[in-house]
Amino acid sequence: MNDVILNMPSVLRGFSAVVRRDILLAWKRPGDMLNPLFFFAMVSTLFPLAVGPTTEQLAFSGPGVVWVAALLASLLSLNSLFMSDFEDGSLDQLLLSPQPLPMLTLAKAVSHWLIAGLPLVLVSPLVAITFQMPARTIGVMMVTLSFGTMSLSLLGSIGAALTVGLNRGTALLSLLILPLAMPVLIFGARTVSMAAADDAVSAGVYFLAAYCMLMLTLAPFATAAALRISNE
Amino acid sequence: MWTFFHKLASPPHFYDLAAKFIPWFAVLGFVFVAYGTVAGLFFAPADYQQGDAFRIIYVHVPAAYLSMMAYMIMAVSAGIGLVWRIKLSHAVAAAAAPLGAWFTFLALATGSIWGRPMWGTWWEWGDPRLTSELIMLFLYFGYMALRAAIDDPAKADKASAVLALVGAVNIPIIHFSVEWWSSLHQGATLIREGGPAIQTSMLYPLLAMIFGFTFLFGALLLGRVRTEVLFRERRSRWVYNLVLPDEGRG
């Protein structure tokens, strides 16, 4: 009995094993990782075509467009967060493992951010340049997008856990998550707009960071509870 | 004390108890709403700024308050159901959601109608309360959609309870962020409530409407919970005996 407990991998090792596995899986199937990025670029292209090409229009709508596109793109990949694990049975192994489940769901959310959120943040300057954003604004945008996509991955993991195995597609997940994601969108887009207008941005950045911390502490527990309910 | 709660959680007991409360709630509700309607529409003086248009608050304010009250009832009873595994409180949460959504819709519709003469538009994104009510409506839709999407009723109860609790944590943050957002680009056309304090001849009908709406909400909620309980317990002995008393012990 003692041996079992002593030989059990530490919580940190369980965490990193899940993250490593998810990143490896994403690496082997790069299409899943790239599609949301193309979607992000595509949606950002639609807006100038729909709104009009003048510099003022683009500079005015840029922050909002980038944020809405990022929100939708990361929502797109959230649907599959637990789906493949559910289908091949490895989700059951996660639930049965002696590791604390909230830690594992945190690992799933973190790896989702590394796979879907971080690439978005890294690609966003390319989109921002086409919207005539100055360098300082781009910096603020990347910081806010980092916190925002992290919050979305965590918030979305709750929704993905609630809808896993329902086969209702992204529409239901969007309906669950988008109203809750409103504060992230509001503060994210507005902070970038304020940076573009040379206003102080620290309040918005602090709020997004605080929201991200709140989600980091609460969301894994809600996700774990939701997973147990969905798989009982 | 505890036996009272234990009895309350038993569906047949609640079913009978609710039947006793509904007429009282309904009568009280109608009396208050009747007084509030007559006094509010005919006797309260017209507002010096808004004229007669302000009278829509006699519907708008109670509806807006109940839209949040219903969410609170939903989230609290969902939480109770999740923690203590009381099936009845899940039934209460399920029954409260559509009512809350309707009151939210009513608050939005009346707010929009009020906005037409006051702001000159049917919809004003600059008003934080309208916007957060709209997000509230989407939260109700999400809750009901999740409940409808899961076939297993016990699973639907628990999953939607988690969602209701997550929503309850987020609602204050949503309200706060919408206020912050709108305070940055607010037009001067808005008439804020910072005007003169409300007169008693306007206030009493409003209070009566709030009480009346609450009692009517209570009656509707209890009625819906009774139906919900009856449907959920449709395979149980007591419902069988209730519906077909003459069939004997079938």
Side-chain angles (χ1 to χ4, degrees), chain A residues 155 158 162-163 166 168 172 175-176 179-180 182-183 186-187 190-191 194 203-204 207 211 214-215 218 222 225-226 229-232, chain B residues 82 135 138-139 141-143 145-146 148-151 155 158-160 162-163 166-167 169-170 173-174 176-178 180-181 184-185:
Chain A
L155 197 59
I158 305 175
L162 285 172
T163 54
L166 284 183
R168 288 302 202 282
L172 178 64
L175 192 55
L176 300 187
L180 299 173
M182 232 54 105
I186 289 171
F187 274 89
R190 192 116 298 261
T191 306
M194 284 166 80
F207 176 88
Y211 190 82
L214 182 75
M215 283 299 129
L218 292 185
I229 290 164
S230 301
N231 288 283
E232 64 189 18
Chain B
L82 206 57
I135 298 175
F138 291 141
L139 285 176
F141 284 161
Y143 177 87
L146 181 65
I150 305 174
D151 296 327
K155 203 189 262 189
K158 287 185 210 159
S160 54
V162 171
L163 184 67
V166 172
V169 171
N170 267 283
I173 303 174
I174 294 173
F176 163 73
S177 51
V178 170
W180 181 80
W181 163 72
L184 286 175
H185 56 128

Side-chain angles (χ1 to χ4, degrees), chain B residues 105-179:
Chain B
F105 177 75
L106 191 61
L108 277 174
T110 51
S112 162
I113 292 167
W114 178 82
R116 182 69 195 136
M118 288 301 122
W119 301 329
T121 55
W122 291 107
W123 188 264
E124 173 61 59
W125 282 109
D127 186 59
R129 282 164 297 175
L130 265 186
T131 311
S132 47
E133 276 290 290
L134 184 65
I135 298 175
M136 192 84 171
L137 188 63
F138 291 141
L139 285 176
Y140 277 118
F141 284 161
Y143 177 87
M144 290 191 286
L146 181 65
R147 194 173 261 291
I150 305 174
D151 296 327
D152 176 14
K155 203 189 262 189
D157 279 344
K158 287 185 210 159
S160 54
V162 171
L163 184 67
L165 289 177
V166 172
V169 171
N170 267 283
I171 282 176
I173 303 174
I174 294 173
H175 278 272
F176 163 73
S177 51
V178 170
E179 294 232 342

Side-chain angles (χ1 to χ4, degrees), chain A residues 19 21-27 32-34 36-37 77 108-120:
Chain A
V19 173
R21 169 178 168 274
D22 274 17
I23 290 176
L24 190 66
L25 281 175
W27 193 253
D32 290 359
M33 204 165 123
L34 289 175
L37 289 182
S77 52
K108 290 293 289 183
V110 167
S111 49
H112 176 264
W113 182 72
L114 289 173
I115 294 161
L118 193 59
L120 273 183

Side-chain angles (χ1 to χ4, degrees), chain B:
Chain B
M1 175 76 179
W2 287 111
T3 43
F4 170 75
F5 281 115
H6 283 303
K7 271 173 90 175
L8 192 65
S10 113
H13 182 76
F14 181 88
Y15 186 83
D16 291 338
L17 196 69
K20 291 190 189 103
F21 272 100
I22 287 172
W24 287 100
F25 279 11
V27 167
L28 277 170
F30 274 116
V31 168
F32 274 118
V33 168
Y35 163 73
T37 308
V38 173
L41 293 190
F42 299 108
F43 295 111
D47 187 81
Y48 87 106
Q49 271 181 323
Q50 309 181 8
D52 281 329
F54 94 95
R55 293 183 200 278
I56 204 163
I57 65 161
Y58 294 118
V59 181
H60 178 69
V61 172
Y65 141 77
L66 277 174
S67 71
M68 289 170 211
M69 185 72 173
Y71 200 94
M72 223 174 76
I73 290 174
M74 192 175 95
V76 168
S77 50
I80 291 173
L82 206 57
V83 174
W84 286 289
R85 291 159 197 268
I86 298 170
K87 281 184 197 155
L88 181 68
S89 49
H90 283 306
V92 173
L99 280 177
W102 271 114
F103 277 111
T104 313
F105 177 75
L106 191 61
L108 277 174
T110 51
S112 162
I113 292 167
W114 178 82
R116 182 69 195 136
M118 288 301 122
W119 301 329
T121 55
W122 291 107
W123 188 264
E124 173 61 59
W125 282 109
D127 186 59
R129 282 164 297 175
L130 265 186
T131 311
S132 47
E133 276 290 290
L134 184 65
I135 298 175
M136 192 84 171
L137 188 63
F138 291 141
L139 285 176
Y140 277 118
F141 284 161
Y143 177 87
M144 290 191 286
L146 181 65
R147 194 173 261 291
I150 305 174
D151 296 327
D152 176 14
K155 203 189 262 189
D157 279 344
K158 287 185 210 159
S160 54
V162 171
L163 184 67
L165 289 177
V166 172
V169 171
N170 267 283
I171 282 176
I173 303 174
I174 294 173
H175 278 272
F176 163 73
S177 51
V178 170
E179 294 232 342
W180 181 80
W181 163 72
S182 64
S183 68
L184 286 175
H185 56 128
Q186 204 165 66
T189 50
L190 298 192
I191 294 162
R192 313 300 296 167
E193 58 194 335
I198 190 164
Q199 258 184 22
T200 49
S201 54
M202 291 179 182
L203 180 66
Y204 288 152
L206 182 61
L207 287 178
M209 285 305 253
I210 290 174
F211 279 121
F213 265 62
T214 310
F215 279 123
L216 288 182
F217 170 76
L220 286 171
L221 180 65
L222 288 179
R224 285 190 61 91
V225 176
R226 284 187 85 206
T227 324
E228 188 78 34
V229 164
L230 211 54
F231 181 72
R232 286 169 178 233
E233 302 271 307
R234 61 193 181 277
R235 309 228 185 278
S236 70
R237 173 73 60 196
W238 70 270
V239 174
Y240 188 87
N241 288 339
L242 188 80
V243 177
L244 300 167
D246 303 327
E247 297 280 305
R249 312 247 126 203

